[in-house]
Amino acid sequence: KGQGTVITGTILNGSVSVNQTIEFPELKIERKVKSMQMFRKPVNSAIKGDRVGICVTQFDSKLLERGIAAAPRSIPTFNSAILKVAHIRYHKHPVASRSKLHITVGHTTLMGTVSFFQDKSVTKDVNIVHEKGTFDWKKEYLHLDELHPKSDEYPIGSQLAVIEFSSPLTCPLDSLLIASRLDSDIHANNCRLAFYGVILCSIDIDTQKQNLLVYKNKLKQAKVDRVVDENNLIGSDLITSGKDISAFIGLQLRTPEGIVGKIED
């Protein structure tokens, strides 16, 4: 009593010892560990998985009810992030890109706007919690209008999202995240948890989003005006009159019968 403020919790990663400096990253405050206890017995150090009480000096306990303590400058604060995500199969309603959901990370819940895209190189299920991986800025990704349930076309680990948070979020970059619709009717026969994901990296929306190589598939229809011979035909209505057709030269065409051709001129 009177020796300082005691914080209690479980060590999630790494270790801590007496006289080590720790940071409360949400407050940007650093304090030195004065003493530690485990099950009312003094200890000099603790490791991952240990439940421990840590005494720090000159810290107002009213500043923090629940939160994170970590090595100084090891936990970032960011406004947006890229994640690997997976649909929760009990959630029956569509989750569209640009929709707003409640985002929960640890003890923190805030609003976030999501945009989905797909890594087409992923062809089989991946455990995104245990095989987190990193984000490849050099890859091209397919834009998705909504998040899809697991299927052969959308294996777990192939879908990603950019989430823009309503306020700054402080957490480790490999944190598990849950997105939900907490404002939906609690009496309705529907799971309010929409998807889960793992944070791969933070992103500055103003400067880095333009570097995301995300494309959209587009379909244009043309009308066959005349068949010249068995290998050539003339069509119209592919582009607006007066527009440059050079962007379409070399692209494939497919008829309703499945015949594939190429635009030459």
Side-chain angles (χ1 to χ4, degrees):
K1 183 178 179 181
Q3 295 185 3
T5 300
V6 176
I7 58 174
T8 61
T10 301
I11 298 177
L12 301 178
N13 198 20
S15 63
V16 63
S17 57
V18 174
N19 293 325
Q20 180 180 343
T21 299
I22 61 174
E23 179 188 28
F24 300 94
E26 293 167 310
L27 303 174
K28 307 301 181 189
I29 293 175
E30 295 183 15
R31 292 292 183 268
K32 183 172 287 189
V33 177
K34 183 176 181 181
S35 61
M36 297 167 50
Q37 284 191 358
M38 290 175 58
F39 302 104
R40 299 185 180 180
K41 294 182 179 180
V43 294
N44 290 321
S45 63
I47 61 174
K48 180 179 179 179
D50 288 343
R51 177 81 177 172
V52 64
I54 298 175
C55 179
V56 296
T57 57
Q58 298 179 342
F59 182 75
D60 186 353
S61 60
K62 295 179 181 179
L63 294 176
L64 187 69
E65 181 178 356
R66 291 190 298 188
I68 301 172
R73 295 169 294 284
S74 64
I75 304 296
T77 298
F78 45 88
N79 293 292
S80 305
I82 297 175
L83 304 88
K84 275 191 176 180
V85 296
H87 179 268
I88 294 176
R89 61 191 178 97
Y90 299 106
H91 187 80
K92 302 303 181 184
H93 297 294
V95 184
S97 283
R98 304 310 301 168
S99 58
K100 292 185 178 181
L101 294 95
H102 293 86
I103 307 297
T104 301
V105 184
H107 299 301
T108 303
T109 298
L110 67 171
M111 298 300 295
T113 302
V114 299
S115 299
F116 299 109
F117 53 99
Q118 184 183 19
D119 181 354
K120 297 294 287 185
S121 68
V122 178
T123 57
K124 61 181 182 179
D125 289 346
V126 176
N127 187 324
I128 64 174
V129 176
H130 295 109
E131 300 178 35
K132 300 178 179 67
T134 56
F135 183 73
D136 189 346
W137 289 88
K138 297 180 180 179
K139 274 188 179 180
E140 292 187 347
Y141 301 91
L142 173 64
H143 168 81
L144 298 176
D145 291 329
E146 63 181 45
L147 181 66
H148 294 269
K150 171 189 170 182
S151 67
D152 290 340
E153 186 178 358
Y154 302 100
I156 295 176
S158 69
Q159 297 184 96
L160 300 98
V162 173
I163 301 185
E164 301 172 46
F165 303 109
S166 58
S167 57
L169 175 65
T170 301
C171 70
L173 287 180
D174 59 352
S175 295
L176 181 66
L177 174 153
I178 296 176
S180 53
R181 299 186 185 276
L182 298 181
D183 52 350
S184 60
D185 185 1
I186 62 173
H187 302 294
N189 185 24
N190 179 52
C191 175
R192 296 196 292 171
L193 306 182
F195 66 85
Y196 66 94
V198 173
I199 299 174
L200 299 179
C201 65
S202 60
I203 178 173
D204 187 322
I205 289 295
D206 295 330
T207 61
Q208 290 183 290
K209 192 173 183 180
Q210 61 188 6
N211 297 328
L212 276 174
L213 303 179
V214 178
Y215 66 92
K216 291 184 178 181
N217 284 329
K218 292 186 177 181
L219 174 67
K220 293 189 74 69
Q221 294 181 329
K223 181 177 68 175
V224 176
D225 288 335
R226 179 161 55 93
V227 176
V228 178
D229 53 44
E230 62 180 11
N231 293 317
N232 296 277
L233 56 82
I234 295 175
S236 61
D237 296 343
L238 181 64
I239 62 172
T240 305
S241 178
K243 290 290 184 67
D244 184 11
I245 196 175
S246 61
F248 295 89
I249 300 299
L251 296 183
Q252 284 190 346
L253 289 174
R254 185 184 299 272
T255 69
E257 293 77 20
I259 301 173
V260 177
K262 185 172 67 173
I263 300 175
E264 294 185 344
D265 196 3

